[in-house]
Amino acid sequence: MIHIKDLHKSYKMGKNSLHVLKGINFNVEAGELVAIMGSSGSGKSTLLNILGMLDVADEGSYQLDGVPIVNLNETKAAQYRNKFLGFIFQSFNLINYKSALENVALPLYYQGVGRKERAEKALMYLEQVGLKEWATHLPSELSGGQKQRVAIARAMAAEPKVLLADEPTGALDSKTSYEVMDLIQKINDQGNTILVVTHEPDIAEMCKRVVVLKDGIILEDKKVNQVRAESYVQ
Ligand code: ADP
Ligand code: MG
């Protein structure tokens, strides 16, 4: 699903340049649930942003579902993002003046789905994350965990090939974090490919594979025995 070879990324800082990714080689097959770990500043978000076509690498190749991601202009990148990827962020990134339903329906609008079908689909995804009754509520009326579930429903609504989550539990307490991970695991159980950036070991253990970034390279890449979040959320 994802094939990355010799990826490099530096940030220019005046005269200096900060070499953040120093040759990343990384493949993800369909259906995987991968944690990307590493200390703060190790380049996790940089890598995820490149995978998400929000940023571009300086060197190396990237293929997503057989499509080479190279030299995309803004329009093409936006098109590919909408078609291939769903994003989940630490800070939820919901639109404050839109209801839960409207937030989930937004990617469908960008895909050109008609109003009625948009609303039906969005409601179905809200139901999947257990928030059907909250459809008409604004983000400000929802708890942190509920907001993240709306964001997950929104990411799912476009039926992406890959879900990219950058510290999805970073703003949540432990119990709520495990509820969100329970949902992420269940979405993965349905065959969806998911990458989760985290610096929390307990969250990483809820994935099936852990990749550790350090000093710009992959220090470790190992399969793990997945801890099920469900056992923590009763
Ligand atoms: P992580 O997500 O692992 O905490 P990041 O990928 O956000 O790390 O950042 C890696 C390094 O690159 C950090 O030192 C950070 O300060 C730097 N960095 C990230 N984004 C930029 C940017 N847009 N411009 C300059 N430096 C950046
Ligand atoms: Mg980060």
Side-chain angles (χ1 to χ4, degrees):
M1 181 64 74
I2 289 174
H3 293 278
I4 272 202
K5 231 182 133 192
D6 283 328
L7 207 74
H8 286 258
K9 176 74 182 177
S10 298
Y11 291 111
K12 298 267 172 302
M13 319 245 286
K15 279 188 214 153
N16 301 317
S17 130
L18 181 67
H19 200 174
V20 179
L21 301 179
K22 303 177 181 170
I24 302 286
N25 291 286
F26 178 57
N27 294 316
V28 179
E29 300 308 321
E32 284 201 82
L33 174 53
V34 186
I36 299 174
M37 290 199 78
S39 52
S40 179
S42 60
K44 304 182 295 296
S45 294
T46 300
L47 177 60
L48 208 73
N49 289 345
I50 293 170
L51 292 173
M53 296 177 237
L54 298 165
D55 200 352
V56 287
D58 302 325
E59 277 177 50
S61 64
Y62 171 23
Q63 261 197 30
L64 178 55
D65 199 31
V67 178
I69 305 301
V70 62
N71 294 332
L72 302 181
N73 59 32
E74 271 305 312
T75 316
K76 198 78 190 160
Q79 228 174 53
Y80 277 20
R81 272 200 298 276
N82 214 281
K83 186 169 154 199
F84 286 118
L85 301 165
F87 292 92
I88 302 161
F89 300 96
Q90 174 171 356
S91 50
F92 323 124
N93 291 16
L94 298 176
I95 296 176
N96 290 326
Y97 58 87
K98 287 188 183 289
S99 69
L101 187 87
E102 289 166 335
N103 268 284
V104 176
L106 202 59
L108 298 169
Y109 170 81
Y110 289 119
Q111 286 187 342
V113 177
R115 180 184 286 269
K116 186 158 175 282
E117 195 187 337
R118 268 197 324 260
E120 283 167 8
K121 266 196 157 177
L123 196 62
M124 185 187 87
Y125 282 102
L126 273 180
E127 187 170 16
Q128 275 199 22
V129 301
L131 291 175
K132 197 181 172 192
E133 275 69 48
W134 293 82
T136 59
H137 288 253
L138 293 173
S140 58
E141 298 165 329
L142 305 176
S143 70
Q146 287 175 323
K147 281 183 209 168
Q148 197 57 302
R149 277 147 66 197
V150 172
I152 291 171
R154 176 184 58 185
M156 294 290 293
E159 288 165 15
K161 304 266 185 197
V162 178
L163 282 178
L164 300 174
D166 196 349
E167 309 258 7
T169 63
L172 305 172
D173 61 61
S174 294
K175 182 173 176 289
T176 312
S177 294
Y178 297 150
E179 284 167 10
V180 163
M181 282 311 292
D182 182 39
L183 185 57
I184 286 177
Q185 288 180 335
K186 283 173 177 155
I187 291 169
N188 174 250
D189 291 343
Q190 296 165 11
N192 295 291
T193 313
I194 310 178
L195 272 64
V196 178
V197 163
T198 182
H199 59 259
E200 297 162 287
D202 55 339
I203 298 299
E205 282 180 9
M206 292 174 174
C207 298
K208 294 173 173 168
R209 172 181 165 196
V210 178
V211 171
V212 182
L213 288 184
K214 193 175 183 206
D215 299 330
I217 58 156
I218 292 181
L219 183 70
E220 204 180 359
D221 184 345
K222 61 175 187 207
K223 293 240 178 298
V224 289
N225 285 321
Q226 186 183 42
V227 174
R228 295 298 295 196
E230 196 169 32
S231 52
Y232 292 93
V233 297
Q234 303 316 323

